[in-house]
Amino acid sequence: MCLEGEQSAVQDTKAVQVPEWNSEEFVEQQTLAGHVFYKYSGELVVPFNQATTYQLFRLDNQMKLVLVNDMQAEQSAASLVVNVGSSSDPQGIPGIAHALEHLLFMGTEKYPEEHDFEAFLTKYGGYTNASTNQLVTEYYFMINNEGLDGALDRFSQMFIAPLLRKDSIEREIQAIESEYRLDVHNDRQRAGHICQTTRCPQNKLSNFMGGNQKTLNSQERDLQEQLQEFFKQEYGADNMQLVVVAGGSLSNEKALVDRIVDLFSMVPKRPYKTDIAKQHPLCKQTLGTLLRYQTIGSEYSIAMEFALPEDNHMYSRDPKQYIQSLLEHEGPGSLQAFLRERSWMTSMQVSLAPAYGISPRVFEIIISATPQGFANYQEVVGSVFAFIRVVREHKVQEWYFRELQQSKQIAWLHGESMYPVTVAKALAIRMSNSWLKPEHVVSSSQLLYEYDPEAIADTMALFTPQNYRLCLGAQDIFSQESTLCKTEKYMEVRYSQDVLPEALTSDSGVESLLNSQDRQMLQFPQPNPYLTDCTLNATAEKTVSNANSNIDVFQAPQLLVRNEQCELWIRRLDSTGGAVERGSISLYIESTNALVTPRALILGDLLVRAIEKRCAAKLNLAQQAGIRARIWYSEHHLCIRVLGVQTGLQLLLQDILKQLWQLADNQVKIDVYLDEVERLSERMQLDASRVQALWQQHSLRAHPRWPVADWSRELHSVDAAALQAFVQEMLRLSYVGMLVVGQTDNEALRILEDARGVLKVKEPIPRVLRQHVRAVDILPGTYLSRFVVKNPKNADSAVSFAIYATSRNVGGRDDVGSQAALSLLAHIMETAFFDQLRTKEQLGYSVRCTYLASHLGGAGSLLLNVQGSCTPDYMCLRIEQFLIQFRSTLQGLTLSQLSALKQARATASLQMPFKVASITNFLWPQIDFGRYDFSHKHHIISRMLEMTLEELLRFWDTSVDPLRSGRRATRVVVQAWAYRGVPAMASEEVMMENPLPVIALHACLEQMGASEILLSDISRFVATSGLPLVPEDEDEDEDDEDSGELRLSIGEYQRRLAALYKAVVLEQAAGKKSLAEIDHMCTLIIKDRSFLRTALQMALEADQVVSSLLSSQPAHTPQHFSLPRTYAGAWIIPDHLCFKRMQPLCAPPSPTIRLLPKYPYL
């Protein structure tokens, strides 16, 4: 085996026989069109699911195909993986693989319209996406069953004859640049990037993955030719894996197979080549080094990277999984338990890079350290090697391997159903391992087939102090030990590389880092008590399969018990009332101190962390046995959920609940938890602009609900005594709600009684003291919330634009018709919104239109989100302009088109796999928030299917359209301004005195570098530009024959604006700028065809618009609130509490059904 990062071990794989895909087990067949293909006649290893079948084929062009038929699914999906990624980028063009991924969606010879594929998918309730990894690129889509044939046709053409047009390339490079900027300020992305690019430069896995505008745009080459050449060389059928998941019962399976074969047989076969570099990513020059890098936030990362050889041929016994499982173990004596006991670690992640493809591996142990742990990083490293030594001394334990094998069998063979697109993606990615035997194509590395102690021991021998690199990341890392010497050129990460000290690279050195007493605390795991014989028997001897097609996924649960102390709901999965192999228990504990203040929110978060850490060992063991647990603090409850194999659910739930009494009886050290929460709050405030805008939008929708800035200020006011008192009050006075899925009545009653027995609640909560989160019933108007993000690396701004259908403009706060209309409009608008603002206008990479429902009885909303480099003011205006223009698209829908869109939306909304997790997630919010409206989704869908075009247009005019709804609409607009954005966010005074289009035009000039021109100059220029614009499709500067009116083109106005700029600069900055510089800026202003031109046109036309944003007409409506207003009448929100104080609140959530328990006397 390889100890120094060389590739010698890779050569050993030649001795392993490559799977024979041309064997007699592949039976030749032929389509009616004459295309030859081969069907695998052997037996595939597949998961247990009576409703799903799998077939394996090989096309004549060597493409591998798996057809999955999920008879219960209402939707279908496909995924195609190309074994090409960023490591295949040609020298000097980082990002070309990523660029090609974008361009394949921009039209083909058969379907030349850009985004034709997305438009077709939208028509049938689907979506598509793609991603580029180091070694693979995946493309996938999901669609309602009736649209599968047309989708596959369009999908196949992407790999046969993409157009790769120059204008599309130019626009998609802007999208890639926007995507790149999203990553630049993300600490996780920056850490992965600096670790990857500082590995062996001779290995292509160290390439810059995504690319940006600078790497892709060059005067020295024709990018279109490069993309065409890259496509011809790399995108061959013999380098692809295709998975198609067909939903529903197939009336003619042979016809579907023939259709897929006919379509994808046209993908050309290319000369397949593998290019595994001679050097390992961790070569001799990289091993034994210390990488230090600076983070943006208060992160403390300790990562150990070990060099492992390429071992895809060993998937059937995969020795890495044995070692990975031991490192991830959290039981007594484990490495993680030891590091947590020392308060050195908050979490640990073990991963492989690259995750997929044929390549040597980097085995990563990534530790999120506490400040104390980071200061003692050498001892942390010593602890890792001490634990590895313990494992090595115990030799390979067969019983532990069998437990791991059994755990994987439970997860794979008896796991729950998944969405078709999830199945397709996972299977296509796993098929990228060319060493897979045909019978293992479906199961691949999801199972361990063989016990090979020698392979495990050989792999364990690679985990030595001589075969790793250490990476340390922190915000203040270089103030401690050394000075930074380099700045990485793509992500601008500051870093240094040094040789590791001898104490960290020798066996004796790492052994001396821990004393003997500490080393004795590290032990090999004990047998898993949750993973008993009955666990596997429960899956093998199931009473009823969870794939019961006779059960309605959306069926309401039954109320068994409801009194002053508790309520119990049950959802049976067996029509006979019996138990099934998998189930779930969800429980909430409501207390009088929940969510009243930001301080209570912090205490709730600390409580969750304390329970998780104290139960970490049991949660980890239960997960290995197929039982997952989740503990969280919702808006007004402590919630606990256990889900998986029935035999261990109640035991795990009781173990978790017992921790509450232990926390009530004993004060615990919370310094580590407080540090975690503090760093979480900082990360949230450094997050992407769009995420922060959404958080602010979320906080404005309900009360009490606290933004991160509010509760982060309370962090230093809590201590161990406060947490103890918080838990004591919860157990003194509380109310318990429970949902049991997959059990019998008697068993559910026993589970509730046992849980209450553990909690020992002393008193029920009087109804007058029960807490409720209430939706804000927002009054009509446009509300503007603005803030500057705190991340200094963030150059992008964002807008979250919410349009509400409130009680005052739809005739009912929870009106089903308005919810149906919003849901349908989001579906109809989604592709058009993306195409206009992202593809054509290039506002940013992240452009999305969604429908957001409310569980609190408040109004739903249409949510339009954009993140990009232009100012939020400009984004808001472009969103309004889109809404104004989109009405004509709505009005032009034919009856058949509208009917198809409604049906597609209905099918997509009701598509949910029959599995315990999905059913639980659907039911629980209604119980948690006290609405109990389990049929709400069906009511919305039914109302939507009945909706006429006239009704939809009436709703649009009343609630959405900026022109027709005027200032009667209810809209909340959140603007997140970039930290280092140019220009800066305008003051309230400026917003009150100037129309927003004028402000946006001035901002565009500032962004171009024309900062000398003042806002007052722009205001006068627009005010005195009295001549109307010529429509862009007419000739420039012509007289109107009917009216004799002179009209000017937008181009002429640009020339006039350039002249104004020149006059201002010559007057104000004489001698500071050369005439050549001034003329150059004037040329930019005149020739601009992007943001400036559009902003100028909006400013010139704004006097014709009556709107709270896009208009240049001052507002004359009454002043209802003591809030500042923009020139056109939008209310400026100073903070969320001020906004909520001026708005009425909806009534507390109340049951929508009669609550009649089956056992009223319990």
Side-chain angles (χ1 to χ4, degrees):
M1 300 293 279
C2 170
L3 293 177
E4 296 184 341
E6 296 291 348
Q7 278 290 84
S8 58
V10 178
Q11 306 305 317
D12 297 339
T13 62
K14 292 183 178 180
V16 182
Q17 186 175 358
V18 178
E20 181 56 67
W21 282 74
N22 296 309
S23 68
E24 294 180 355
E25 289 184 301
F26 283 88
V27 180
E28 181 176 330
Q29 297 186 3
Q30 190 172 356
T31 70
L32 292 176
H35 290 113
V36 175
F37 65 102
Y38 304 88
K39 181 178 180 180
Y40 180 66
S41 60
E43 186 174 351
L44 297 171
V45 178
V46 299
F48 176 83
N49 190 331
Q50 294 174 344
T52 305
T53 61
Y54 298 81
Q55 297 180 72
L56 172 63
F57 305 92
R58 176 175 58 79
L59 276 57
D60 202 36
N61 58 10
Q62 302 303 310
M63 182 185 292
K64 298 172 184 175
L65 164 67
V66 171
L67 174 61
V68 184
N69 179 209
D70 184 345
M71 289 176 275
Q72 291 181 329
E74 297 292 334
Q75 288 189 304
S76 300
S79 176
L80 188 144
V81 167
V82 190
N83 299 325
V84 171
S86 62
S87 62
S88 298
D89 287 344
Q91 186 68 28
I93 320 180
I96 196 168
H98 185 202
L100 181 61
E101 170 225 305
H102 278 243
L103 267 299
L104 291 195
F105 290 96
M106 306 302 286
T108 63
E109 290 182 7
K110 185 175 181 180
Y111 300 102
E113 291 295 321
E114 288 188 353
H115 297 296
D116 172 87
F117 186 38
E118 290 94 322
F120 180 85
L121 293 174
T122 299
K123 179 181 177 181
Y124 291 98
Y127 64 90
T128 184
N129 211 334
S131 65
T132 303
N133 206 312
Q134 289 176 296
L135 293 169
V136 299
T137 304
E138 65 170 340
Y139 302 83
Y140 57 90
F141 71 84
M142 189 164 177
I143 193 168
N144 294 343
N145 291 340
E146 60 269 25
L148 178 60
D149 183 82
L152 286 172
D153 185 14
R154 288 162 173 80
F155 194 50
S156 65
Q157 289 299 314
M158 291 166 52
F159 310 99
I160 297 169
L163 290 177
L164 306 179
R165 289 177 288 222
K166 280 197 172 184
D167 59 334
S168 299
I169 293 171
E170 291 171 2
R171 281 184 272 106
E172 286 310 300
I173 287 177
Q174 294 295 326
I176 290 170
E177 174 69 14
S178 298
E179 192 175 353
Y180 158 75
R181 286 200 303 268
L182 290 177
D183 293 339
V184 166
H185 61 262
N186 184 301
D187 264 331
R188 180 174 296 179
Q189 296 290 341
R190 289 163 64 86
H193 174 80
I194 194 63
C195 289
Q196 173 186 317
T197 54
T198 54
R199 293 172 187 150
C200 179
Q202 287 76 35
N203 188 295
K204 289 188 174 183
L205 293 175
S206 62
N207 285 0
F208 172 35
M209 277 183 57
N212 58 23
Q213 189 172 16
K214 186 175 181 180
T215 66
L216 291 170
N217 264 344
S218 173
Q219 302 294 329
E220 302 174 359
R221 59 175 175 262
D222 186 326
L223 185 58
Q224 184 184 37
E225 290 182 3
Q226 293 282 346
L227 284 163
Q228 291 169 344
E229 185 64 23
F230 187 81
F231 176 77
K232 290 177 183 178
Q233 288 184 355
E234 305 291 348
Y235 271 54
D238 49 343
N239 204 19
M240 297 177 177
Q241 301 85 234
L242 172 65
V243 177
V244 177
V245 181
S249 299
L250 297 180
S251 58
N252 191 338
E253 185 179 276
K254 178 65 166 61
L256 176 60
V257 172
D258 284 2
R259 176 64 168 162
I260 298 171
V261 171
D262 287 339
L263 289 172
F264 288 90
S265 290
M266 303 304 293
V267 178
K269 180 180 178 182
R270 316 283 191 192
Y272 180 67
K273 60 180 188 295
T274 56
D275 186 19
I276 299 177
K278 293 182 179 180
Q279 291 283 351
H280 193 284
L282 294 178
C283 54
K284 287 183 178 180
Q285 294 85 349
T286 311
L287 291 173
T289 61
L290 171 61
L291 169 68
R292 294 184 178 91
Y293 62 91
Q294 191 172 47
T295 63
I296 299 172
S298 298
E299 304 288 337
Y300 298 96
S301 176
I302 303 172
M304 300 172 67
E305 299 183 341
F306 291 87
L308 299 185
E310 191 273 306
D311 62 351
N312 283 270
H313 62 289
M314 301 177 70
Y315 73 90
S316 62
R317 54 195 183 278
D318 197 359
K320 299 188 302 297
Q321 293 197 37
Y322 181 92
I323 300 158
Q324 183 173 345
S325 173
L326 287 166
L327 290 169
E328 291 175 340
H329 208 282
E330 299 184 47
S334 67
L335 173 63
Q336 295 203 39
F338 177 82
L339 294 176
R340 281 204 176 96
E341 180 66 25
R342 294 290 183 278
S343 297
W344 286 350
M345 180 195 83
T346 59
S347 65
M348 176 190 291
Q349 177 186 354
V350 181
S351 62
L352 290 171
Y356 307 107
I358 305 296
S359 168
R361 304 290 188 188
V362 176
F363 189 101
E364 301 172 307
I365 303 173
I366 304 172
I367 297 169
S368 286
T370 63
Q372 181 184 352
F374 194 80
N376 294 281
Y377 76 86
Q378 293 198 8
E379 286 79 2
V380 172
V381 172
S383 303
V384 173
F385 282 116
F387 181 72
I388 290 173
R389 181 176 179 177
V390 168
V391 172
R392 191 179 292 125
E393 288 174 348
H394 276 76
K395 302 189 183 302
V396 179
Q397 298 290 313
E398 183 174 358
W399 69 266
Y400 187 81
F401 175 86
R402 297 303 179 194
E403 277 197 350
L404 179 60
Q405 187 181 43
Q406 184 180 347
S407 174
K408 295 180 78 65
Q409 286 176 342
I410 293 171
W412 168 249
L413 296 173
H414 306 279
E416 294 197 281
S417 302
M418 296 185 291
Y419 284 97
V421 71
T422 307
V423 173
K425 287 178 59 181
L427 186 49
I429 279 286
R430 293 198 297 265
M431 287 169 64
S432 62
N433 180 3
S434 59
W435 291 97
L436 286 178
K437 296 179 180 179
E439 63 266 28
H440 293 155
V441 161
V442 178
S443 56
S444 63
S445 58
Q446 301 304 292
L447 294 175
L448 287 172
Y449 308 87
E450 306 170 32
Y451 174 54
D452 188 344
E454 290 185 9
I456 295 173
D458 288 345
T459 303
M460 182 65 71
L462 298 175
F463 289 80
T464 67
Q466 298 82 33
N467 192 43
Y468 83 108
R469 177 177 76 151
L470 182 63
C471 306
L472 302 176
Q475 191 178 50
D476 57 352
I477 184 171
F478 294 101
S479 61
Q480 300 172 12
E481 298 191 26
S482 66
T483 305
L484 283 171
C485 55
K486 297 179 183 177
T487 299
E488 194 277 328
K489 64 179 180 179
Y490 296 117
M491 292 281 193
E492 299 180 357
V493 183
R494 303 176 70 196
Y495 73 102
S496 70
Q497 289 178 292
D498 304 292
V499 177
L500 278 170
E502 186 177 353
L504 295 177
T505 57
S506 65
D507 294 330
S508 59
V510 295
E511 187 175 350
S512 66
L513 293 172
L514 288 186
N515 59 46
S516 59
Q517 184 177 357
D518 285 343
R519 288 197 297 273
Q520 290 175 3
M521 295 181 65
L522 295 166
Q523 300 173 2
F524 198 87
Q526 297 298 310
N528 188 340
Y530 291 92
L531 199 61
T532 61
D533 291 339
C534 64
T535 306
L536 198 55
N537 290 339
T539 60
E541 301 174 6
K542 53 186 64 60
T543 307
V544 177
S545 165
N546 277 358
N548 192 328
S549 58
N550 296 321
I551 300 294
D552 178 10
V553 176
F554 297 97
Q555 178 183 314
Q558 184 177 15
L559 180 63
L560 297 185
V561 177
R562 191 169 193 262
N563 54 44
E564 293 183 350
Q565 298 176 330
C566 62
E567 62 185 77
L568 170 64
W569 296 81
I570 186 169
R571 172 66 156 85
R572 305 174 189 88
L573 300 183
D574 173 26
S575 56
T576 65
V580 296
E581 62 170 18
R582 299 177 67 86
S584 71
I585 306 170
S586 302
L587 172 143
Y588 71 71
I589 304 172
E590 181 181 331
S591 175
T592 57
N593 56 7
L595 206 68
V596 177
T597 64
R599 186 171 182 268
L601 186 63
I602 293 172
L603 288 168
D605 192 283
L606 291 174
L607 174 59
V608 169
R609 292 174 188 273
I611 295 173
E612 286 178 338
K613 297 302 186 293
R614 294 170 69 88
C615 292
K618 291 181 178 179
L619 296 179
N620 177 249
L621 293 171
Q623 186 172 354
Q624 294 176 23
I627 304 170
R628 291 182 287 117
R630 183 188 171 205
I631 307 165
W632 75 101
Y633 202 71
S634 78
E635 299 200 289
H636 55 321
H637 294 149
L638 172 67
C639 297
I640 302 168
R641 176 177 299 159
V642 290
L643 183 150
V645 179
Q646 293 276 20
T647 51
L649 293 182
Q650 189 175 356
L651 173 63
L652 182 58
L653 176 64
Q654 291 185 4
D655 287 340
I656 295 171
L657 293 176
K658 288 174 183 176
Q659 295 301 320
L660 284 172
W661 271 109
Q662 293 185 25
L663 290 168
D665 292 340
N666 305 284
Q667 287 191 17
V668 296
K669 290 175 61 177
I670 65 169
D671 295 346
V672 173
Y673 308 148
L674 273 173
D675 176 67
E676 287 182 34
V677 176
E678 187 170 5
R679 284 194 279 152
L680 171 65
S681 72
E682 183 181 87
R683 281 197 301 273
M684 292 174 69
Q685 295 180 74
L686 294 176
D687 216 330
S689 303
R690 72 185 190 285
V691 177
Q692 296 192 52
L694 286 170
W695 275 112
Q696 179 71 355
Q697 190 77 256
H698 178 72
S699 70
L700 294 172
R701 291 170 63 91
H703 183 77
R705 190 179 276 172
W706 309 100
V708 60
D710 284 17
W711 57 262
S712 62
R713 285 192 288 266
E714 300 288 335
L715 279 169
H716 301 291
S717 69
V718 299
D719 54 20
L723 178 61
Q724 183 181 24
F726 182 80
V727 180
Q728 289 173 343
E729 177 63 16
M730 179 177 290
L731 294 176
R732 185 187 71 83
L733 204 66
S734 62
Y735 181 87
V736 175
M738 181 179 286
L739 168 67
V740 177
V741 177
Q743 275 292 358
T744 63
D745 287 10
N746 289 338
E747 190 63 23
L749 291 168
R750 186 176 65 83
I751 292 171
L752 174 65
E753 194 59 35
D754 289 348
R756 293 184 60 212
V758 174
L759 289 172
K760 296 179 286 190
V761 176
K762 297 179 181 178
E763 303 175 45
I765 302 178
R767 289 191 177 273
V768 294
L769 295 181
R770 292 191 65 179
Q771 302 291 322
H772 296 283
V773 179
R774 297 169 64 181
V776 178
D777 190 12
I778 306 172
L779 295 169
T782 299
Y783 303 89
L784 189 59
S785 173
R786 309 182 304 153
F787 62 93
V788 178
V789 300
K790 295 184 177 181
N791 190 337
K793 296 286 185 182
N794 192 346
D796 275 1
S797 299
V799 164
S800 177
F801 196 114
I803 302 171
Y804 287 85
T806 65
S807 57
R808 292 163 185 80
N809 53 23
V810 298
R813 186 167 47 247
D814 194 30
D815 178 65
V816 172
S818 68
Q819 305 290 319
L822 286 171
S823 177
L824 179 57
L825 284 172
H827 175 66
I828 297 173
M829 290 170 58
E830 182 179 12
T831 300
F833 186 69
F834 180 88
D835 184 52
Q836 180 64 36
L837 299 190
R838 200 288 230 167
T839 304
K840 294 177 180 174
E841 298 190 22
Q842 288 295 315
L843 255 63
Y845 175 73
S846 179
V847 175
R848 194 174 181 197
C849 169
T850 58
Y851 161 63
L852 187 62
S854 172
H855 294 301
L856 301 174
S861 62
L862 188 66
L863 204 57
L864 307 166
N865 301 317
V866 178
Q867 174 172 314
S869 59
C870 53
T871 68
D873 289 340
Y874 182 87
M875 294 179 192
C876 289
L877 298 178
R878 296 313 300 154
I879 291 172
E880 279 224 334
Q881 191 69 54
F882 170 83
L883 294 172
I884 291 171
Q885 295 172 350
F886 191 73
R887 190 186 191 279
S888 61
T889 302
L890 272 183
Q891 194 169 13
L893 290 175
T894 64
L895 291 177
S896 61
Q897 288 173 331
L898 180 62
S899 177
L901 287 165
K902 291 190 295 184
Q903 190 58 54
R905 181 61 170 175
T907 303
S909 298
L910 295 175
Q911 166 64 15
M912 187 170 73
F914 186 89
K915 63 177 184 176
V916 174
S918 297
I919 292 170
T920 305
N921 290 333
F922 169 70
L923 298 175
W924 183 247
Q926 295 295 335
I927 296 172
D928 186 23
F929 289 101
R931 294 276 294 161
Y932 311 109
D933 192 357
F934 305 109
S935 58
H936 189 58
K937 183 185 283 281
H938 280 290
H939 289 157
I940 291 176
I941 296 301
S942 298
R943 180 67 185 87
M944 184 186 69
L945 291 173
E946 298 169 355
M947 187 164 288
T948 65
L949 181 59
E950 289 72 22
E951 288 179 293
L952 193 62
L953 287 171
R954 192 181 311 122
F955 177 84
W956 179 271
D957 293 344
T958 304
S959 302
V960 180
D961 192 295
L963 294 183
R964 290 170 173 79
S965 65
R967 297 182 175 96
R968 295 174 294 130
T970 304
R971 306 185 298 178
V972 177
V973 181
V974 177
Q975 295 183 341
W977 286 74
Y979 179 88
R980 54 177 180 170
V982 177
M985 185 173 71
S987 66
E988 288 183 1
E989 291 75 15
V990 169
M991 299 286 289
M992 294 168 69
E993 296 172 1
N994 297 274
L996 197 59
V998 173
I999 297 173
L1001 174 57
H1002 179 251
C1004 286
L1005 285 165
E1006 281 195 284
Q1007 283 185 308
M1008 290 181 69
S1011 56
E1012 296 87 356
I1013 196 165
L1014 302 178
L1015 179 61
S1016 56
D1017 298 324
I1018 298 299
S1019 184
R1020 284 193 299 272
F1021 174 81
V1022 173
T1024 57
S1025 300
L1027 297 177
L1029 278 172
V1030 177
E1032 289 197 52
D1033 56 352
E1034 294 184 19
D1035 295 334
E1036 292 193 359
D1037 309 344
E1038 60 177 35
D1039 292 329
D1040 190 304
E1041 295 181 0
D1042 296 329
S1043 64
E1045 183 182 32
L1046 179 65
R1047 298 181 297 170
L1048 297 182
S1049 68
I1050 188 65
E1052 176 58 28
Y1053 275 114
Q1054 284 180 264
R1055 287 189 284 273
R1056 293 187 177 194
L1057 183 60
L1060 172 65
Y1061 168 77
K1062 187 171 185 177
V1064 168
V1065 175
L1066 289 175
E1067 179 182 348
Q1068 296 181 356
K1072 293 184 180 179
K1073 275 193 172 183
S1074 67
L1075 190 58
E1077 290 175 314
I1078 297 172
D1079 288 341
H1080 176 67
M1081 181 55 67
C1082 288
T1083 302
L1084 293 178
I1085 293 172
I1086 292 170
K1087 292 187 175 181
D1088 182 87
R1089 293 296 182 268
S1090 183
F1091 298 153
L1092 176 66
R1093 183 185 181 95
T1094 304
L1096 176 59
Q1097 185 168 349
M1098 287 192 297
L1100 293 171
E1101 296 177 339
D1103 61 338
Q1104 305 169 26
V1105 179
V1106 179
S1107 163
S1108 299
L1109 294 176
L1110 194 55
S1111 177
S1112 63
Q1113 301 179 24
H1116 299 296
T1117 53
Q1119 181 97 2
H1120 297 298
F1121 309 123
S1122 57
L1123 293 176
R1125 302 181 77 179
T1126 67
Y1127 184 82
W1131 305 98
I1132 301 176
I1133 303 172
D1135 64 73
H1136 76 107
L1137 288 176
C1138 179
F1139 170 74
K1140 293 173 185 177
R1141 280 195 294 267
M1142 296 181 176
Q1143 304 288 347
L1145 296 178
C1146 295
S1150 57
T1152 58
I1153 58 174
R1154 292 187 65 189
L1155 300 180
L1156 301 174
K1158 182 177 181 180
Y1159 306 103
Y1161 304 109
L1162 292 181

